[in-house]
């Protein structure tokens, strides 16, 4: 396993740990102090879950498609960017549906921020400028990203 694959595995492990800790705070919130959990704790868990899903995609590309770490990270970055660009605003459903859509957006932004310097180092400014002028980027191999919920029944919309 190369350096980038190890880096990706470390980020995946860290994201999994953060998700587990956030869920633990919700699961055991009522013990001890008797206060229950807060909306902030639910939001933290939702974002952590989706960050973990972005890193899981990187790991799936490395292990399942046998891509190198650099290509796996760059492809997943492209999916996260496309998720932010193409996802429709959630204007239907209850507040929970809207909150989960926001958590997915925040997770994509967090993944992109975490991998920004790495992507710049991998692609270099000349290649990024060329891609921008040519209007092409890597096509996603496995769909649109962790946003796989079909939306409320009968609406035909995706969050």
């Amino acid at each position: 396993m190369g350096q980038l694959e190890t880096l990706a595995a470390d980020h995946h492990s860290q994201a999994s740990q953060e998700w587990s800790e956030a869920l633990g705070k919700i699961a055991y919130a009522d013990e001890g102090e008797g206060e229950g959990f807060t909306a902030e704790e639910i939001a933290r868990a939702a974002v952590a879950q989706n960050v973990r899903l972005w890193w899981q995609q990187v790991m799936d590309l490395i292990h399942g498609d046998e891509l190198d770490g650099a290509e796996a990270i760059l492809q997943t970055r492209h999916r996260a960017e496309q998720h932010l660009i193409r996802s429709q605003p959630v204007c239907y459903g209850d507040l929970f549906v809207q909150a989960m859509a926001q958590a997915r957006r925040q997770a994509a932004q967090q993944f992109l921020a975490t991998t920004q310097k790495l992507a710049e180092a991998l692609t270099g400014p000349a290649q990024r400028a060329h891609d921008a002028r040519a209007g092409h980027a890597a096509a996603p191999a496995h769909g649109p990203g962790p946003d796989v919920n079909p939306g409320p029944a009968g609406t035909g919309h995706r969050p």
Side-chain angles (χ1 to χ4, degrees):
M1 187 181 290
Q3 185 177 8
L4 290 176
E5 290 82 3
T6 301
L7 176 73
D10 290 346
H11 277 286
H12 179 258
S13 293
Q14 181 182 355
S16 296
Q17 180 65 31
E18 288 174 10
W19 182 42
S20 178
E21 289 172 6
L23 288 177
K25 285 189 175 192
I26 293 171
Y28 300 108
D30 200 30
E31 292 183 6
E33 299 174 17
E35 292 182 10
F37 52 84
T38 66
E40 289 82 13
E41 290 166 333
I42 294 173
R44 179 176 172 249
V47 172
Q49 175 189 26
N50 285 284
V51 168
R52 188 197 67 79
L53 289 172
W54 286 114
W55 284 107
Q56 183 63 52
Q57 282 190 42
V58 172
M59 299 309 297
D60 290 347
L61 289 170
I62 291 170
H63 297 296
D65 291 358
E66 298 181 9
L67 294 179
D68 68 9
E71 186 63 28
I73 290 169
L74 291 175
Q75 280 191 22
T76 306
R77 278 185 57 80
H78 178 73
R79 290 181 196 154
E81 290 167 345
Q82 291 304 306
H83 172 74
L84 291 173
I85 293 168
R86 293 187 176 156
S87 64
Q88 299 293 320
V90 178
C91 300
Y92 59 86
D94 59 20
L95 290 177
F96 186 76
V97 171
Q98 294 177 32
M100 293 304 290
Q102 179 61 22
R104 287 188 292 277
R105 286 188 296 272
Q106 287 176 325
Q109 290 170 337
Q110 186 175 334
F111 176 80
L112 289 170
T114 300
T115 58
Q116 179 67 39
K117 287 185 181 179
L118 178 60
E120 290 172 355
L122 291 171
T123 59
Q127 181 64 41
R128 285 191 309 280
H130 169 69
D131 287 347
R133 284 191 307 273
H136 52 76
H142 294 294
D147 180 19
V148 294
N149 297 332
T155 65
H157 293 95
R158 289 182 47 180

